Amino acid sequence: MADMLTDNLDGSEPWHNGAPYVPTTIGHVPKCTQKAREFLKGFPAEERAAALRPFMIRYRLFPDNCKDVHTAPITIKELKGLVRVWKLHNQKGFWSDHTTREQIVLALYERMQYNYRQVREKRRRADEDRKRREALKHQDGPQLTEEEKAAARMKALASRREGGPRRRSLEEEPKKDQDQTPLLMYMSRGFGEPEDRCNPRSPSPTKKKKKFFSDERPSFEESEDEDEDMQQVRIKRKCSTALLNMSLNKKMSSQFVEQGGMAALLDLASTCKDEEIITNCAAALNNLIPYGDYYPPWKLCDLGVVPVIVKLVKSDDARVRHFMALCLCRLSQEHQLEDRLAGQGALGAATRLVAVSDSVRTKEIAAKVLINLACSMEGHQADTTVKNVLKCVAVLVTHRDKNNNPDAETQQFCAEAILVMACLPQARPVLAKQGVVALLKVMFLASQRPATTNACASALCNMGQAHSCRKEILNLGLVKIMARLMKTGEEATQRICTLCLTALAAQADLRPSLLKEGALRTIAEVVYARKDADLVKQGAGALLAFAFDPSTREDVVHEGCLGALVALLDKDDKVDEETQANSLMALCNLIADAATCPQVLEAGVLLKLVGYTSQLTELPSLVDYLAVAVLNVSTHKDVRTYVARTPGCLDLIIELALLGVARKDPSGELIEGDGSGADSDRTKSALKTLLNLSLDSETHEALLERRRRSLLDALALLVYEDRKARTFDSSRPCGKDSTLHLISLLLHILTTNKTNHDQLMSGDASKLLVCLAKTSNDETRTAVAGSLYNMTQLNPVAEENAIEALVRLSKSSENERVLWCAWCFANLSTYPKGRAMLGKLSASLVPALLGMMRSGVADAEKVQYHCAVAVCNTLSVFLKKQHVLDMVASGTVQDVIVITVLRANDVRTKQVLAQALFNLLARVDTRREMIECDVPMALVRLTRVEDPILNLLATNMLKNLSCEADKNVEKLLEMRVVRVLVSQCLSSSGGVQIKRKCAATLANLAAVPEILDKGFCDRQSNIVSGVRSIAVARDAETLEYVATICYYLSAMKKGRDELVAQEAVPVLASLCSGEDVPAKVRQLVVAALTHISNDSTTHESLTEFALPLIIETMAGAVHAHDTRMNAMTLLCNLVVHHEPSRGAAVALEALPALKAFVRSCSVDEHFAVVAKILRDLTWDEEHVPLLIEQGAMALAARLAKREPAPLKHDVAAIVCNLCASGARPSQLIEEDAVGALFWLTLQDLLNLTRAVTVECATSLRYLAQHSEIVPLICDEANLLPLLLRFFKYDESEQVRYDAAVVLYYCLGHEPAQKALCRAGAIKMLSDLASTGERIREVCSAALHQLPNNLMQNVDGKLLGVLMGLLDMQDADFTDPATFMPDRSLTSRKPWPLREATPYEPKKKKMKAEWPTSVIEKSTNAFVPAKYQLDMAHPCEEINPALQDVKVDFIGEYKKMGCDAEAQTIKKLSWGAKYLENKIVDYSPRAPAPAPVF
């Protein structure tokens, strides 16, 4: 079942295949079942691993921090450990064949089973042997003889030695596995001297050897029971003896490691506990390490010698400990092994030897080990080591010899040990804290050897450096002891004591005691005496020490030492250069103090120093101190002028500065330098002196005056590698105190004085600064930048090298330097010469300036402004086309744009950079490239700043581009130029000047159809608001530009829609408001309004705002005919399509305007428009009386005479409307209404004849209904001809009827009856009556009004007409109220909206203007840059402790060694007499109490 569960765990096949009963599982397999399967699968492997746990516990393979090894998990680490224990890994390919945990467990399990089988087999054989021996013991066998027994014992012994009966014999073993101990023992006996060839533990060679088969030989049974371990010990003893013997042979010793001897020796020493073996091994190590010295210590450490030595140190044998101390001492002498030895336990071993050894020599050697290891220790470990050494020394100091006297050798060792430890800086504080001064006093008093005394004095001198030891030195009276020794001691002792006191005098705490003892005056007397050169030299050194201390300097002067020091400046046989140097150093220290400097100068020291000027090359050891002396003098403000004016003093300083360089004297002779070069400390001191002097402006004249060698010439010699070529060595030091830096500061100070600039320029100071700019020191470069800035304020430093130097200097993040460089460039660009040079280098200069503008320094805004000025002025000059193209290709132009738009925050900077961009556009041959680089776009973006200057600059640029708009259509559209210009007009910062330029620009752009379509017609452009804003200017030219813009827009359907949407009508109407409106403006405005009127949504606005302008234009005879015609067209569009406009037009006296316009009309088309307007005006009955009053009928009568039929049709409607109103009928007659009707019906109008005739008949009837004007009608000459036409018009009965009614009214007027009848009225009525019944009745009624006298010759026809009155049915025609004519044929044809007469505005020829901009200086005041001028270079005090000896203590640390001798077997047998000198503490009888630790 388990096999089935583990075979198919993935469920790919049913586990029950072949089973008689198939279980059913509903759903997925439960997790418990899955876990059971996984456990069952790994159960055998885990059981095998658990069987291995006892072995892992036995061999301690589990980690030390394991809580319970019986339940701890078995990891791969423990399994691998067991593999190595059982040595399975030695099998070939074991790890490659066993890669998984299960494979390793299985291999270990099989090996465990194999071991079990071997153990069982061994036990079985042992049981069989035991049973066989018991059987032999109980059986009665034959009795053996003594010879047989001996043979048996021999055989048993041989069998025992050969490993038992189951081992092969020695001869059968391979050679590498044979026991070669006897052979080694035999061979090793010849390595030593003949008397050293035997083991000290074995019997002497002279004694009689025992026979192997003697009576004392143990029996067979006893030898069989002999301890096998003891035999192994004997073998190891022999091996150790052999190794010891080998270590004595030089040839074998040199090959000891290579032949495996060292490994065997270390193995024996570390694994054996037998004293003889350990002693032999220790002696062998002694022969190999401290005595033999065949192998370097680092190699011995690699071989593992140190751990074995550390282990052997724990031995109870004094000899072993002594040998190990020697070994450790030898190893510790090797440098760079200290940490390794300490890490391997050597430090602890040496500490143990110091503590437990009772031998004086062993303790000394162990102390030397600690001293050797202490040099690399720090912290607590170093402190502990020093304490242990000092404890050892304290014990050894009290040691006495057999005669109860202090041991001289031990005393010397202790003194030397303390001296060596006192040379270690980290050890001195510990020594001082542990009371080493008191210990040194004890050694002073007990010293028996000069070497001991000298060592104590030197150690005391070194300890005097520690502040905590100084009071103890004074309190213990050691100064007096050394003073006594100076008088009574040997020469070497006196010298050391003198040096010690001199060193102590260097300590401020000890000098008062020395002064108290009168040492200073005594030393001065010795110096005055000059009896011995050495004493004078040491006295001068002592005076130097006192002069170095500020608290004792005044004592040096008061004690009369000043004269001695000044006298030492004169050389003789008792005063050498070293003594003079000490004297000069002391004077330097005295000069450095403001309290003693006046006395020194009064003693004539400065003149003495000047006297050395001609001897400088002969006094190489004094020149450095001379430089320090004059430097110290210059640090005092009150004497600087005195120093500068002292004759020869500046010459001395300059010669000191030039002493290390090759030069020519004034006569032209070449002078070789002393080899120190231009960067020596002496040169630096001289330059510092000049710097200090230059801080007082009164010294500048003296510094720059002409002399044997001028200051600028001297500086040039120090700077240039080759004076003629002006080359510079870039590898020279350039730090803060370097020569180059000091020169840069000196020049900088001189440039801050305005009066020095002429001399500096003539002396090529600018070239020096250019050379100094090549240094890598930031402070030097900053000083150079400040100097160049100062010079450029007054003079154009326009050399190419100077500009390149400024470019190098500008590449920095230091605020002052970048600012001054920017200021330099700005200053240079204001000079024509400088501008020309900057333009010449523009390809490389402009990127550098842009880089400065990107620097994030503190004064970034100032830097950006000055760099912007430089860029603007650089681009204002004529540049080579290739240079401009290179700037485009390299992205420089884009950088200018980015900085202008985004980086610069100050408005002034943006203004200047904008002018720089404008200068780039000024070039005709590269303008296309600039436009492609979006330079115009950048200027456009700057308008968002809302600055008037930027706005004006951008407007000028756009105006210039608009002169060539057809070439830049895409870019202008991309810039959204219309929107930009409109925003400028609407801006609060946009003045009248900007508005005028925007108007001109927009007018130019509007003439380009594509820009008009995509730019002006954009709703977001808000062009109408811009026009409204521009119109505020009110000058003729601006108004013309605005009108032109609006006209172009209105002429395009899309533009017209925008004007309508933005309510442009009031704006357009306002353009012509006021007096003296230019005719062209009116013409364009009227035309634009006419175009706009084609949109019916504007009619209301046009009526409200534009109608007065239109009527005024129509009425003005001074206006152009086309303008008046466009106005009339606009009026017609309004009157016809917008009824509310009719009343407004009438009220504004549109009719008089029409009458005025008609006078100038000459074509029927114009008359037709007038007719349309008047026709629709008369449809409004409310305003018809006013029209009649204004003479509408007269105008209609004039229009009636025109021939076009549609026009007559409209006029007929006009006349009819006027007559139908009933207002002012007499005026209508007077204005020739009947004549108008006559002219209307005069000719055939084709299809309009009926309509016109009907309207005319209706009009005449309306007039005839007014009885008061009937006489007037009758007086019209055209009445009867008109009526006759009506009577004859057969197409309309209504016309004949209306004509009959009119004649009826006329015949009713008696005065006119006769005339009418005479004209044939009766005949016309008679003929007309026959055309219709209604007409017959009217005719009959008309005839009845005639008197009888007029009715003659009545015929039957006429009579019939007269009789028709009897049949009249309706007489309503006589009532005007019942007259309601059918006017369906009247003129109502709609007027199609018409645009204005096409007109092309005359373009003004505007010329593009691209003037380049130059930024001039705003002020001419000299405001120098000042860098590091707030303090002088301090004086240099010469510390005597730093002269000649470069350390602050006497002597130096060096490791301590020891002598070792070869150890042989014979010497080991004699014992160690050198260990007999035991430590005996005689401290109660010591001369002075030992310090307590």
Side-chain angles (χ1 to χ4, degrees), residues 384-400:
T384 304
T385 302
V386 174
K387 290 178 182 179
N388 291 331
V389 173
L390 204 55
K391 287 179 182 180
C392 178
V393 171
V395 174
L396 293 176
V397 164
T398 62
H399 176 63
R400 293 176 177 271

PDB file of all heavy atoms in Angstrom, residues 384-400:
ATOM      1  N   THR A 384      47.358  48.366  28.465  1.00  0.00           N
ATOM      2  CA  THR A 384      47.653  47.184  29.285  1.00  0.00           C
ATOM      3  C   THR A 384      49.072  46.700  29.047  1.00  0.00           C
ATOM      4  O   THR A 384      49.790  46.316  29.985  1.00  0.00           O
ATOM      5  CB  THR A 384      46.652  46.076  28.944  1.00  0.00           C
ATOM      6  OG1 THR A 384      45.324  46.574  29.122  1.00  0.00           O
ATOM      7  CG2 THR A 384      46.858  44.866  29.840  1.00  0.00           C
ATOM      8  N   THR A 385      49.501  46.705  27.802  1.00  0.00           N
ATOM      9  CA  THR A 385      50.859  46.253  27.493  1.00  0.00           C
ATOM     10  C   THR A 385      51.902  47.140  28.158  1.00  0.00           C
ATOM     11  O   THR A 385      52.877  46.657  28.756  1.00  0.00           O
ATOM     12  CB  THR A 385      51.052  46.244  25.981  1.00  0.00           C
ATOM     13  OG1 THR A 385      50.062  45.398  25.379  1.00  0.00           O
ATOM     14  CG2 THR A 385      52.428  45.718  25.619  1.00  0.00           C
ATOM     15  N   VAL A 386      51.715  48.450  28.066  1.00  0.00           N
ATOM     16  CA  VAL A 386      52.670  49.377  28.681  1.00  0.00           C
ATOM     17  C   VAL A 386      52.696  49.185  30.196  1.00  0.00           C
ATOM     18  O   VAL A 386      53.768  49.206  30.836  1.00  0.00           O
ATOM     19  CB  VAL A 386      52.304  50.821  28.306  1.00  0.00           C
ATOM     20  CG1 VAL A 386      53.207  51.812  29.049  1.00  0.00           C
ATOM     21  CG2 VAL A 386      52.443  51.023  26.810  1.00  0.00           C
ATOM     22  N   LYS A 387      51.535  48.980  30.773  1.00  0.00           N
ATOM     23  CA  LYS A 387      51.488  48.752  32.225  1.00  0.00           C
ATOM     24  C   LYS A 387      52.253  47.487  32.608  1.00  0.00           C
ATOM     25  O   LYS A 387      52.981  47.457  33.602  1.00  0.00           O
ATOM     26  CB  LYS A 387      50.039  48.656  32.681  1.00  0.00           C
ATOM     27  CG  LYS A 387      49.280  49.969  32.623  1.00  0.00           C
ATOM     28  CD  LYS A 387      47.836  49.775  33.053  1.00  0.00           C
ATOM     29  CE  LYS A 387      47.053  51.077  32.947  1.00  0.00           C
ATOM     30  NZ  LYS A 387      45.649  50.904  33.338  1.00  0.00           N
ATOM     31  N   ASN A 388      52.082  46.434  31.826  1.00  0.00           N
ATOM     32  CA  ASN A 388      52.790  45.184  32.132  1.00  0.00           C
ATOM     33  C   ASN A 388      54.294  45.376  32.022  1.00  0.00           C
ATOM     34  O   ASN A 388      55.070  44.851  32.837  1.00  0.00           O
ATOM     35  CB  ASN A 388      52.313  44.084  31.182  1.00  0.00           C
ATOM     36  CG  ASN A 388      50.882  43.679  31.452  1.00  0.00           C
ATOM     37  OD1 ASN A 388      50.404  43.775  32.592  1.00  0.00           O
ATOM     38  ND2 ASN A 388      50.180  43.215  30.421  1.00  0.00           N
ATOM     39  N   VAL A 389      54.739  46.120  30.998  1.00  0.00           N
ATOM     40  CA  VAL A 389      56.181  46.371  30.874  1.00  0.00           C
ATOM     41  C   VAL A 389      56.693  47.158  32.072  1.00  0.00           C
ATOM     42  O   VAL A 389      57.754  46.875  32.647  1.00  0.00           O
ATOM     43  CB  VAL A 389      56.470  47.122  29.557  1.00  0.00           C
ATOM     44  CG1 VAL A 389      57.931  47.531  29.497  1.00  0.00           C
ATOM     45  CG2 VAL A 389      56.129  46.242  28.371  1.00  0.00           C
ATOM     46  N   LEU A 390      55.922  48.169  32.457  1.00  0.00           N
ATOM     47  CA  LEU A 390      56.356  49.005  33.562  1.00  0.00           C
ATOM     48  C   LEU A 390      56.357  48.240  34.881  1.00  0.00           C
ATOM     49  O   LEU A 390      57.225  48.462  35.745  1.00  0.00           O
ATOM     50  CB  LEU A 390      55.452  50.233  33.662  1.00  0.00           C
ATOM     51  CG  LEU A 390      56.064  51.464  34.342  1.00  0.00           C
ATOM     52  CD1 LEU A 390      57.363  51.838  33.648  1.00  0.00           C
ATOM     53  CD2 LEU A 390      55.109  52.622  34.323  1.00  0.00           C
ATOM     54  N   LYS A 391      55.416  47.333  35.041  1.00  0.00           N
ATOM     55  CA  LYS A 391      55.430  46.485  36.233  1.00  0.00           C
ATOM     56  C   LYS A 391      56.691  45.638  36.279  1.00  0.00           C
ATOM     57  O   LYS A 391      57.344  45.484  37.318  1.00  0.00           O
ATOM     58  CB  LYS A 391      54.200  45.577  36.251  1.00  0.00           C
ATOM     59  CG  LYS A 391      52.904  46.293  36.566  1.00  0.00           C
ATOM     60  CD  LYS A 391      51.744  45.321  36.547  1.00  0.00           C
ATOM     61  CE  LYS A 391      50.422  46.023  36.814  1.00  0.00           C
ATOM     62  NZ  LYS A 391      49.292  45.078  36.784  1.00  0.00           N
ATOM     63  N   CYS A 392      57.056  45.081  35.125  1.00  0.00           N
ATOM     64  CA  CYS A 392      58.264  44.273  35.045  1.00  0.00           C
ATOM     65  C   CYS A 392      59.496  45.113  35.367  1.00  0.00           C
ATOM     66  O   CYS A 392      60.382  44.687  36.122  1.00  0.00           O
ATOM     67  CB  CYS A 392      58.371  43.637  33.661  1.00  0.00           C
ATOM     68  SG  CYS A 392      59.859  42.652  33.418  1.00  0.00           S
ATOM     69  N   VAL A 393      59.545  46.325  34.807  1.00  0.00           N
ATOM     70  CA  VAL A 393      60.689  47.205  35.070  1.00  0.00           C
ATOM     71  C   VAL A 393      60.757  47.570  36.543  1.00  0.00           C
ATOM     72  O   VAL A 393      61.833  47.623  37.157  1.00  0.00           O
ATOM     73  CB  VAL A 393      60.593  48.455  34.175  1.00  0.00           C
ATOM     74  CG1 VAL A 393      61.633  49.483  34.581  1.00  0.00           C
ATOM     75  CG2 VAL A 393      60.774  48.068  32.729  1.00  0.00           C
ATOM     76  N   ALA A 394      59.595  47.850  37.139  1.00  0.00           N
ATOM     77  CA  ALA A 394      59.577  48.204  38.555  1.00  0.00           C
ATOM     78  C   ALA A 394      60.101  47.073  39.427  1.00  0.00           C
ATOM     79  O   ALA A 394      60.762  47.294  40.451  1.00  0.00           O
ATOM     80  CB  ALA A 394      58.155  48.578  38.958  1.00  0.00           C
ATOM     81  N   VAL A 395      59.836  45.841  39.037  1.00  0.00           N
ATOM     82  CA  VAL A 395      60.340  44.693  39.793  1.00  0.00           C
ATOM     83  C   VAL A 395      61.851  44.520  39.577  1.00  0.00           C
ATOM     84  O   VAL A 395      62.622  44.269  40.507  1.00  0.00           O
ATOM     85  CB  VAL A 395      59.577  43.421  39.394  1.00  0.00           C
ATOM     86  CG1 VAL A 395      60.195  42.194  40.058  1.00  0.00           C
ATOM     87  CG2 VAL A 395      58.116  43.544  39.790  1.00  0.00           C
ATOM     88  N   LEU A 396      62.267  44.700  38.287  1.00  0.00           N
ATOM     89  CA  LEU A 396      63.685  44.501  37.975  1.00  0.00           C
ATOM     90  C   LEU A 396      64.559  45.607  38.564  1.00  0.00           C
ATOM     91  O   LEU A 396      65.741  45.376  38.865  1.00  0.00           O
ATOM     92  CB  LEU A 396      63.865  44.449  36.452  1.00  0.00           C
ATOM     93  CG  LEU A 396      63.251  43.240  35.743  1.00  0.00           C
ATOM     94  CD1 LEU A 396      63.430  43.375  34.250  1.00  0.00           C
ATOM     95  CD2 LEU A 396      63.855  41.946  36.233  1.00  0.00           C
ATOM     96  N   VAL A 397      64.015  46.798  38.736  1.00  0.00           N
ATOM     97  CA  VAL A 397      64.813  47.894  39.290  1.00  0.00           C
ATOM     98  C   VAL A 397      65.290  47.569  40.704  1.00  0.00           C
ATOM     99  O   VAL A 397      66.405  47.917  41.113  1.00  0.00           O
ATOM    100  CB  VAL A 397      63.988  49.202  39.253  1.00  0.00           C
ATOM    101  CG1 VAL A 397      64.604  50.251  40.162  1.00  0.00           C
ATOM    102  CG2 VAL A 397      63.911  49.733  37.841  1.00  0.00           C
ATOM    103  N   THR A 398      64.449  46.889  41.421  1.00  0.00           N
ATOM    104  CA  THR A 398      64.798  46.575  42.819  1.00  0.00           C
ATOM    105  C   THR A 398      65.714  45.368  42.944  1.00  0.00           C
ATOM    106  O   THR A 398      66.098  44.997  44.059  1.00  0.00           O
ATOM    107  CB  THR A 398      63.514  46.319  43.607  1.00  0.00           C
ATOM    108  OG1 THR A 398      62.830  45.191  43.047  1.00  0.00           O
ATOM    109  CG2 THR A 398      62.591  47.538  43.552  1.00  0.00           C
ATOM    110  N   HIS A 399      66.037  44.736  41.825  1.00  0.00           N
ATOM    111  CA  HIS A 399      66.882  43.520  41.893  1.00  0.00           C
ATOM    112  C   HIS A 399      68.329  43.885  42.231  1.00  0.00           C
ATOM    113  O   HIS A 399      68.859  44.878  41.737  1.00  0.00           O
ATOM    114  CB  HIS A 399      66.818  42.804  40.541  1.00  0.00           C
ATOM    115  CG  HIS A 399      67.714  41.609  40.477  1.00  0.00           C
ATOM    116  ND1 HIS A 399      67.552  40.500  41.293  1.00  0.00           N
ATOM    117  CD2 HIS A 399      68.796  41.352  39.700  1.00  0.00           C
ATOM    118  CE1 HIS A 399      68.494  39.617  41.023  1.00  0.00           C
ATOM    119  NE2 HIS A 399      69.256  40.110  40.050  1.00  0.00           N
ATOM    120  N   ARG A 400      68.919  43.054  43.075  1.00  0.00           N
ATOM    121  CA  ARG A 400      70.314  43.263  43.500  1.00  0.00           C
ATOM    122  C   ARG A 400      71.112  41.990  43.248  1.00  0.00           C
ATOM    123  O   ARG A 400      70.573  40.878  43.174  1.00  0.00           O
ATOM    124  CB  ARG A 400      70.383  43.647  44.970  1.00  0.00           C
ATOM    125  CG  ARG A 400      69.766  45.007  45.242  1.00  0.00           C
ATOM    126  CD  ARG A 400      69.751  45.321  46.727  1.00  0.00           C
ATOM    127  NE  ARG A 400      69.223  46.663  46.971  1.00  0.00           N
ATOM    128  CZ  ARG A 400      69.974  47.760  46.997  1.00  0.00           C
ATOM    129  NH1 ARG A 400      71.283  47.668  46.814  1.00  0.00           N
ATOM    130  NH2 ARG A 400      69.432  48.942  47.211  1.00  0.00           N
TER     131      ARG A 400
END
